[in-house]
Amino acid sequence: MPGADKETDLTERIEAFLADLKRGGSGTGPLRGSGEMARETTYLLRRITAQARWSSAGDLMEIIRNEGRRMTAAQPSETTVGNMVRRVLKIIREEYARSRGSSEETEQQESLHKLLTAGELSEENFRQHFVHLKANVIEAINELLTELDGTTDNIAMQALEHIHSNEVIMTVGRSRTVEAFLKDAARKRKFHVIVAECAPFCQGHEMATGLSKVGIETTVIADAAIFAVMSRVNKVIIGTQTVLANGGLRAVNGTHSVALAARHHSTPLIICAPMFKLSPQFPNEEDTFHKFVSPHEVLPFTAGSTLIENLFQCFILLRLFTKVSVTPEVINALSV
Amino acid sequence: ETQTKCGTISLFSHLHQYSRKAPLTQQLSIPSTVIHPSIVRLGLQYSQGIVVGSNARSVALLHAFKQVIRDYTTPPNEELARDLVNKLKPYISFLNQCRPLSASMGNAIKYIKKEISNIPSQFKEEEAKTKLQKCIDCYINENVVLAAKAISKYAIKKISDGDVILVYGCSSLVNHILCEAYDKSRKFRVIVVDSRPRLEGREALRRLVQRGISCTYVLISALSYILPEVSKVFLGAHALLANGYVMSRVGTSQIALVARTFNVPVLVCCETYKFCERVQTDSFVSNELDDPDDLMVTRKGKTQLENWHDVSSLGLLNLVYDVTPPDFVDLVITDLGMIPCTSVPVVLRVKNLEQ
């Protein structure tokens, strides 16, 4: 039956995506950028909308919610997955409301008055069936995908407003958004970039080679020299993995030290983050916020025979993500 | 010339640019035949990184000078006091070219020169030489060995049972303190913070674990994660400057900064012979540049920065030291007692008066 084939095909794709998520998180698989992850998630959600069996918006939302829960459980550190699922759920709700005929404006403005007086909205169970709902939802998801494709360029377009000539800019590790941002500014301005390498994966090296290829004067420094060099830095521009609901960041290891050093020297700290990195989570779940990978990168198992004998007494930690708290004192500008 | 191509390295163009590849004697202006062999060996050990650490370098220097004095003969019509000092000058420039002198070495050299000039002219050569060697032994004993004992005594008062102590890199003094405290049956555990490219923390880790102290090893980027567990931070120093700044291995200021944010006490352990009359407010005006090729790393068979010499807009910066402002440091433990950072000029004045 064609229906069943479509279903098995769909479940296969979902399973493959989940397996990829689980594998990609251990640091051994290819390190995917968040943009790619967001796009893949949206493609998958569009496929689910197109191929899964559902009759009303409520069913579809149930299906997507379940799949979304499984995806976030597979890799809790990939918050873009959860963010895209929430975006798609919002799209479905909007399209449903539009199909029902209620005007868009009244739906969107959730004033306090409305919350107190509205009775019917809370009884909304999205059970009505609309013929064109599927097409509308898919069209809206396509719009979302176009928006995703354009985020890096939109951010890069603002570069000239933030960077003046002969500046020294510091950045940490590797961020595709910041790389595009700096490359765009380099077309019209001359400035220097100092890249902190971010041991042990040293993504900063890749960033530096990428920047120097377009002629930006780049210097690579070790993580330890961040405070030493900070007194000569005019701005710090970094990317992040997630922007939390309180304005804090979940970013690569070492970002907190950079933020503190910048605050000490009163250097402005600018974050470049696309919309899909904004998350409604708060930084209070200690176990999912720090991501640990194998300590082999820090201290290899073969590092000296005397070390191996006593290794059972040693705990070696390698942390991938950190969280930066207290936004207003630390972050000066958020470029989305 | 290749190192000064990058615009940002121009920040450090006033410092000697480093390259380990060029043979040492090629760069030197002094022919090495005039230099005493133990000094040549010492210079090589410094430049190759075989002798590292402030104390180790000073002690090695003093031992080499003892050898030089032993082999010295006063030429006719010359006075030992003046001639020996002149003999030492080219040796010191040679060592400076191998690797810039540390503050402790500078102070040791000043002491020796003073002792040599103070040799009474009626001393016979043998007498003078024995006296000088005794002075050197005395200096090492007082300022390194006994100072370490005194500092341990004070520091152990600050270590209580159940402490979690954070150390950075490999400081001989801090390792000594921790081993002594462990021998005196204090119960504590240590977190060793390390940083690329030198990775000196591994040596500290090895020494502490061999003693039986339980350790955790992290890289400096994990600092803000590990600091909430820490009760104290012990740092070693390369020199203490007259305005209260602490000059130490690069990364120390970062640790002090983040520790201050988490309200963890920072204790710096430093012998008084490392106190220095210099004043410095940032890490640029006087620093040491190490081999930039050390920053390269090969991961999964690929070295990203392999051809960085060919790319004109790419530069690598490998700093060795940095300065920590005194507001980040809570206490300095010296052989004269526990003092705040700002008391350094007082100690220097007292020492000058004594001499």
Side-chain angles (χ1 to χ4, degrees):
Chain A
M1 264 167 41
D5 282 341
K6 264 208 289 185
E7 267 187 39
T8 44
D9 177 49
L10 182 62
T11 26
E12 260 174 39
R13 281 185 191 272
I14 296 178
E15 293 307 319
F17 185 69
L18 287 173
D20 204 19
L21 270 178
K22 277 198 201 117
R23 218 183 329 120
S26 64
T28 49
L31 280 172
R32 292 235 224 124
S34 312
E36 246 184 82
M37 190 57 66
R39 226 168 286 132
E40 297 267 339
T41 315
T42 320
Y43 285 145
L44 189 63
L45 292 172
R46 184 176 62 180
R47 194 177 279 279
I48 293 176
T49 316
Q51 291 179 351
R53 281 228 219 110
W54 54 277
S55 56
S56 68
D59 292 337
L60 179 59
M61 280 167 56
E62 218 21 70
I63 295 173
I64 290 190
R65 250 190 230 113
N66 287 338
E67 292 307 325
R69 264 186 225 118
R70 285 177 68 201
M71 286 195 260
T72 36
Q75 190 54 255
S77 65
E78 271 299 343
T79 44
T80 45
V81 171
N83 295 341
M84 294 324 288
V85 169
R86 285 187 200 99
R87 288 287 286 266
V88 169
L89 287 173
K90 180 163 189 290
I91 286 174
I92 297 171
R93 260 181 242 125
E94 271 176 13
E95 290 302 323
Y96 181 81
R98 201 176 305 162
S99 301
R100 267 190 67 207
S102 354
S103 72
E104 284 177 47
E105 285 160 35
T106 49
E107 288 301 322
Q108 282 170 14
Q109 288 166 20
E110 266 198 28
S111 69
L112 199 55
H113 175 78
K114 276 199 59 168
L115 281 173
L116 286 172
T117 57
E120 37 197 279
L121 213 56
S122 50
E123 289 159 23
E124 187 63 70
N125 55 4
F126 299 99
R127 286 288 156 215
Q128 257 182 299
H129 174 75
F130 291 107
V131 175
H132 297 294
L133 187 62
K134 186 185 259 195
N136 289 345
V137 171
I138 291 184
E139 200 185 307
I141 295 183
N142 285 337
E143 273 174 35
L144 180 63
L145 280 166
T146 346
E147 192 191 311
L148 280 178
D149 286 332
T151 44
T152 318
D153 293 326
N154 286 339
I155 294 179
M157 280 195 312
Q158 304 175 44
L160 286 173
E161 297 164 21
H162 292 280
I163 300 177
H164 61 74
S165 46
N166 234 2
E167 271 201 300
V168 179
I169 294 179
M170 178 180 276
T171 182
V172 175
R174 173 148 198 255
S175 164
R176 285 169 194 75
T177 319
V178 175
E179 203 175 329
F181 191 83
L182 293 174
K183 281 181 177 168
D184 197 88
R187 289 186 296 121
K188 294 248 180 71
R189 307 247 197 273
K190 253 209 144 323
F191 53 91
H192 303 155
V193 177
I194 298 182
V195 182
E197 64 177 5
C198 253
F201 296 111
C202 297
Q203 310 103 305
H205 293 188
E206 238 182 287
M207 177 85 155
T209 33
L211 289 175
S212 56
K213 279 209 180 79
V214 283
I216 302 177
E217 307 259 8
T218 321
T219 308
V220 179
I221 59 166
D223 296 332
I226 287 175
F227 186 80
V229 173
M230 186 60 79
S231 56
R232 272 302 226 116
V233 171
N234 297 113
K235 286 190 175 75
V236 181
I237 301 181
I238 54 180
T240 175
Q241 204 249 359
T242 314
V243 179
L244 302 167
N246 70 342
L249 299 181
R250 188 160 173 264
V252 81
N253 218 358
T255 311
H256 193 204
S257 312
V258 174
L260 288 173
R263 180 172 57 163
H264 180 261
H265 286 104
S266 300
T267 310
L269 176 63
I270 299 176
I271 319 288
C272 293
M275 287 288 279
F276 57 82
K277 286 192 180 165
L278 298 171
S279 162
Q281 287 172 306
F282 275 90
N284 50 12
E285 298 150 30
E286 285 301 321
D287 49 346
T288 49
F289 257 77
H290 299 290
K291 183 171 158 195
F292 293 93
V293 292
S294 157
H296 177 75
E297 303 281 345
V298 170
L299 194 62
F301 294 119
T302 52
S305 54
T306 37
L307 274 175
I308 292 179
E309 286 160 25
N310 296 309
L311 222 50
F312 68 90
Q313 282 180 321
C314 247
F315 299 97
I316 303 163
L317 293 182
L318 171 60
R319 185 174 53 127
L320 211 50
F321 291 119
T322 180
K323 61 173 156 66
V324 177
S325 52
V326 198
T327 320
E329 299 166 22
V330 165
I331 299 179
N332 294 87
L334 198 57
S335 183
V336 290
Chain B
E1 312 76 52
T2 44
Q3 261 99 357
T4 49
K5 60 180 158 63
C6 175
T8 326
I9 306 281
S10 65
L11 285 174
F12 291 95
S13 54
H14 60 285
L15 299 173
H16 172 63
Q17 309 290 326
Y18 189 94
S19 178
R20 204 171 267 141
K21 291 206 191 90
L24 193 63
T25 41
Q26 224 176 52
Q27 293 175 322
L28 300 174
S29 51
I30 305 164
S32 42
T33 44
V34 191
I35 314 260
H36 192 280
S38 61
I39 300 279
V40 178
R41 190 180 67 183
L42 188 65
L44 272 173
Q45 284 175 332
Y46 282 164
S47 71
Q48 296 299 313
I50 299 172
V51 175
V52 277
S54 194
N55 280 341
R57 284 167 70 189
S58 315
V59 171
L61 176 74
L62 290 168
H63 282 305
F65 276 175
K66 264 174 66 176
Q67 187 66 38
V68 167
I69 292 173
R70 217 171 302 160
D71 298 339
Y72 171 77
T73 40
T74 328
N77 306 328
E78 287 282 357
E79 224 183 275
L80 180 135
R82 249 169 294 157
D83 187 57
L84 186 53
V85 175
N86 288 338
K87 269 267 162 34
L88 288 181
K89 284 205 182 99
Y91 297 171
I92 295 167
S93 321
F94 173 79
L95 290 175
N96 201 20
Q97 281 178 354
C98 296
R99 193 179 160 188
L101 294 182
S102 66
S104 51
M105 287 164 70
N107 288 346
I109 290 171
K110 247 192 272 184
Y111 172 78
I112 290 187
K113 282 191 177 163
K114 195 179 65 76
E115 286 300 311
I116 294 175
S117 336
N118 287 348
I119 298 268
S121 42
Q122 61 266 35
F123 268 37
K124 287 201 288 277
E125 186 171 312
E126 276 314 309
E127 256 185 277
K129 280 159 66 162
T130 337
K131 178 167 188 291
L132 284 174
Q133 292 188 34
K134 256 201 352 220
C135 279
I136 292 181
D137 284 334
C138 191
Y139 185 83
I140 296 179
N141 195 32
E142 262 179 34
N143 287 303
V144 181
V145 178
L146 289 178
K149 285 212 179 85
I151 293 177
S152 307
K153 210 163 54 100
Y154 290 123
I156 288 174
K157 284 195 215 143
K158 292 290 176 192
I159 300 178
S160 16
D161 284 343
D163 263 350
V164 179
I165 296 178
L166 187 126
V167 298
Y168 178 61
C170 186
S171 165
S172 52
L173 187 55
V174 174
N175 290 343
H176 178 86
I177 291 172
L178 293 176
C179 294
E180 288 274 305
Y182 191 73
D183 289 340
K184 293 211 165 55
S185 332
R186 289 277 200 279
K187 307 267 176 299
F188 59 91
R189 66 182 181 92
V190 176
I191 298 180
V192 180
V193 178
D194 201 7
S195 74
R196 281 196 74 237
R198 284 183 165 231
L199 292 173
E200 290 170 327
R202 292 189 186 180
E203 177 58 32
L205 185 68
R206 190 185 62 85
R207 291 188 201 172
L208 293 173
V209 170
Q210 259 183 352
R211 275 306 185 101
I213 305 176
S214 67
C215 302
T216 307
Y217 178 80
V218 292
L219 287 182
I220 197 168
S221 37
L223 202 55
S224 45
Y225 171 75
I226 206 93
L227 262 172
E229 308 182 358
V230 173
S231 51
K232 295 184 180 68
V233 177
F234 273 82
L235 299 172
H238 172 255
L240 239 62
L241 306 174
N243 57 348
Y245 278 65
V246 179
M247 184 168 183
S248 186
R249 187 65 84 219
V250 67
T252 311
S253 51
Q254 208 169 315
I255 296 200
L257 167 77
V258 187
R260 164 66 59 167
T261 317
F262 283 93
N263 288 320
V264 175
V266 174
L267 291 85
V268 171
C269 308
C270 183
E271 299 95 334
T272 44
Y273 86 104
K274 289 184 188 163
F275 285 18
C276 162
E277 302 255 348
R278 228 173 46 211
V279 171
Q280 210 175 314
T281 48
D282 59 38
S283 322
F284 293 88
V285 73
S286 161
N287 206 328
E288 197 183 317
L289 294 180
D290 206 1
D291 193 356
D293 291 329
D294 285 343
L295 280 178
M296 293 200 294
V297 68
T298 307
R299 295 195 71 244
K300 300 184 183 161
K302 219 174 123 189
T303 312
Q304 272 292 334
L305 299 174
E306 209 159 7
N307 304 316
W308 73 273
H309 289 283
D310 303 328
V311 185
S312 63
S313 45
L314 184 59
L316 266 55
L317 184 62
N318 192 356
L319 284 176
V320 179
Y321 297 115
D322 73 7
V323 281
T324 309
D327 13 318
F328 293 159
V329 177
D330 292 301
L331 188 65
V332 178
I333 307 179
T334 67
D335 37 313
L336 293 177
M338 300 196 262
I339 59 175
C341 248
T342 43
S343 301
V344 172
V346 178
V347 171
L348 282 171
R349 196 164 28 111
V350 166
K351 282 190 109 180
N352 282 340
L353 284 176
E354 274 174 21
Q355 286 166 2

